[in-house]
Amino acid sequence: MTLEAIKYNGKLQILNQLLLPTETQYEDILSVEDGWNAIKAMKVRGAPAIAIVGVLSLAVELSPKKFESKDDLKNMIQEKLKYLTTARPTAVNMTEAANRLSTLIHVVCDDPTSTVESIRERYMQEAVDMLAKDVADNKSMGHHGAKSVLQQCDADEKVRILTHCNTGTLATAGYGTALGVIRALHELGKLERAYCTETRPYNQGARLTAYEFVHDEIPATLIVDSAVAMAMKEKKLSAVVVGADRVVANGDTANKIGTYQLAISAKHHGIPFYVAAPTTSIDLNLASGKDIVIEERSTKELTTVRGMRVAPDITCWNPAFDVTPADLITGGIVTEHGVFKPEELKDKLMGYSNKKLKSSED
């Protein structure tokens, strides 16, 4: 059975990831408010999945509504999309989707031949198309990333990869970003073993990544977060591959808290460090990591586990993400277009964007 974090056939359901691995429960998302709450509570998480669920939650809410005019419909779409970006602001995919769809709907609405129904249908189709595009992009990233990793190893050598947090099917529409690279290596018969961190405080690695590895029969070992330096020293790792919630113009990358220290340790041990991120996770509007807003979450995530207190009443600092400087991303940034050094990322992506624009004009 294929894992699915998001199910949509006119009706939207998400797999409540807070209950994994002990319980598999799908929850209905009936409105934008349901989508916002599920994202905020981390019932669904992972930058690509957040955007897809957010956009589809609006599609569900739009479907039965009646509108007096095209402007009423346009205004609702734009207001609801803007609201969805506030659930978890560090992950850029929701903002990218909101900006792209708001602009599109504005253009479509200005077309004198458009109607309320044609605008609604266009939004619904754009939302549905995000599912297939995400899977296709992830498989392309997996191919490019696996090829790059293998180029740095002996031809007959199987590789060992360390990853952090969860970047697989549960964080996307399917296949995964960093886990997509690992999946591609496994499919090629070139993966000896994957190592995943537990990823405190929500244990996405222990609960979700380990769950995916076991489900898909990928050889893997779970380690505690504080064992990563020792693993790099003792386990002959070929590369570290992580995901991203936001990559900015200079290549600095925001990802799950703990990524920065992995990158520092990888550089010390001479292990290539890769970031796997679709272009929807790349924000060329921000110059450097200093400009990224870092979400801070409740102290309860540190002091309690499933409602049971495990720490005294103490002041806590709980940033959900950290920023890895571009110079620590030594392997490259893996996108659906290829693997690029951080310093060349902006020019390469602008080149692809210009080619796409010229193609559409032709």
Side-chain angles (χ1 to χ4, degrees):
M1 181 179 69
T2 303
L3 281 175
E4 287 183 282
I6 305 164
K7 292 183 177 182
Y8 181 77
N9 58 357
K11 176 182 178 181
L12 177 60
Q13 292 184 311
I14 61 161
L15 180 61
N16 184 346
Q17 296 183 30
L18 296 177
L19 304 178
L20 291 173
T22 57
E23 186 177 348
T24 301
Q25 178 178 304
Y26 283 90
E27 295 188 4
D28 292 333
I29 301 295
L30 304 175
S31 65
V32 166
E33 195 63 31
D34 285 351
W36 191 96
N37 287 327
I39 293 166
K40 185 67 174 179
M42 293 177 62
K43 291 180 179 180
V44 62
R45 21 72 48 212
I50 286 171
I52 292 166
V53 169
V55 168
L56 286 174
S57 74
L58 177 52
V60 170
E61 187 167 320
L62 283 177
S63 184
K65 277 189 177 292
K66 294 183 178 180
F67 297 91
E68 294 295 325
S69 68
K70 296 193 297 183
D71 281 340
D72 286 345
L73 173 57
K74 178 187 75 172
N75 291 339
M76 176 185 168
I77 289 173
Q78 292 178 337
E79 288 169 9
K80 295 285 188 177
L81 287 171
K82 185 176 180 181
Y83 173 61
L84 283 160
T85 66
T86 67
R88 298 199 69 198
T90 302
V92 73
N93 299 55
M94 185 63 240
T95 298
E96 184 277 336
N99 291 341
R100 175 173 52 82
L101 291 171
S102 291
T103 300
L104 174 67
I105 293 304
H106 181 82
V107 171
V108 174
C109 189
D110 283 349
D111 181 347
T113 66
S114 68
T115 64
V116 166
E117 197 51 43
S118 69
I119 296 168
R120 189 203 319 259
E121 287 177 2
R122 181 63 183 275
Y123 178 88
M124 305 282 275
Q125 189 59 55
E126 291 286 335
V128 171
D129 288 348
M130 287 177 67
L131 289 161
K133 184 178 186 305
D134 187 57
V135 174
D137 287 348
N138 293 341
K139 289 185 176 180
S140 182
M141 274 189 289
H143 165 76
H144 291 305
K147 181 180 178 182
S148 180
V149 170
L150 292 174
Q151 284 174 342
Q152 303 195 49
C153 303
D154 293 337
D156 59 349
E157 180 183 343
K158 287 192 174 185
V159 298
R160 298 181 177 191
I161 307 295
L162 173 66
T163 193
H164 186 55
C165 197
N166 174 258
T167 59
T169 295
L170 296 174
T172 63
Y175 204 75
T177 57
L179 255 64
V181 175
I182 293 172
R183 275 199 173 85
L185 288 164
H186 180 60
E187 290 165 2
L188 291 169
K190 300 299 289 183
L191 179 71
E192 180 177 327
R193 182 158 295 273
Y195 291 84
C196 58
T197 61
E198 58 180 350
T199 321
R200 284 279 295 146
Y202 253 90
N203 289 316
Q204 293 99 321
R207 293 188 303 105
L208 307 179
T209 299
Y211 180 79
E212 289 199 43
F213 283 149
V214 171
H215 181 277
D216 295 339
E217 298 182 344
I218 295 173
T221 297
L222 173 66
I223 64 173
V224 299
D225 292 349
S226 50
V228 293
M230 190 66 169
M232 291 181 191
K233 180 182 177 184
E234 299 290 337
K235 295 299 181 180
K236 297 180 181 178
L237 299 179
S238 309
V240 179
V241 186
V242 301
D245 286 84
R246 188 184 296 246
V247 181
V248 296
N250 72 341
D252 291 351
T253 297
N255 192 48
K256 181 53 56 187
I257 191 71
T259 303
Y260 180 26
Q261 62 202 31
L262 263 70
I264 292 170
S265 191
K267 189 158 189 177
H268 174 77
H269 289 92
I271 297 170
F273 186 93
Y274 289 89
V275 169
T279 52
T280 53
S281 294
I282 297 172
D283 182 2
L284 298 181
N285 294 313
L286 297 185
S288 76
K290 294 177 181 178
D291 302 318
I292 301 174
V293 175
I294 299 297
E295 175 190 5
E296 293 190 21
R297 295 185 62 84
S298 168
T299 62
K300 290 182 179 179
E301 295 180 0
L302 300 186
T303 59
T304 63
V305 175
R306 299 205 173 211
M308 180 180 296
R309 179 167 281 278
V310 295
D313 186 12
I314 187 173
T315 300
C316 297
W317 181 47
N318 186 24
F321 305 94
D322 57 28
V323 176
T324 298
D327 62 353
L328 295 180
I329 303 171
T330 54
I333 297 173
V334 184
T335 75
E336 65 269 32
H337 299 299
V339 182
F340 308 118
K341 295 298 182 185
E343 62 270 19
E344 66 179 357
L345 179 68
K346 182 177 180 179
D347 288 343
K348 290 287 188 181
L349 292 188
M350 289 182 72
Y352 282 108
S353 179
N354 290 336
K355 283 181 184 178
K356 185 177 179 182
L357 180 61
K358 187 176 184 302
S359 176
S360 65
E361 290 173 347
D362 293 342

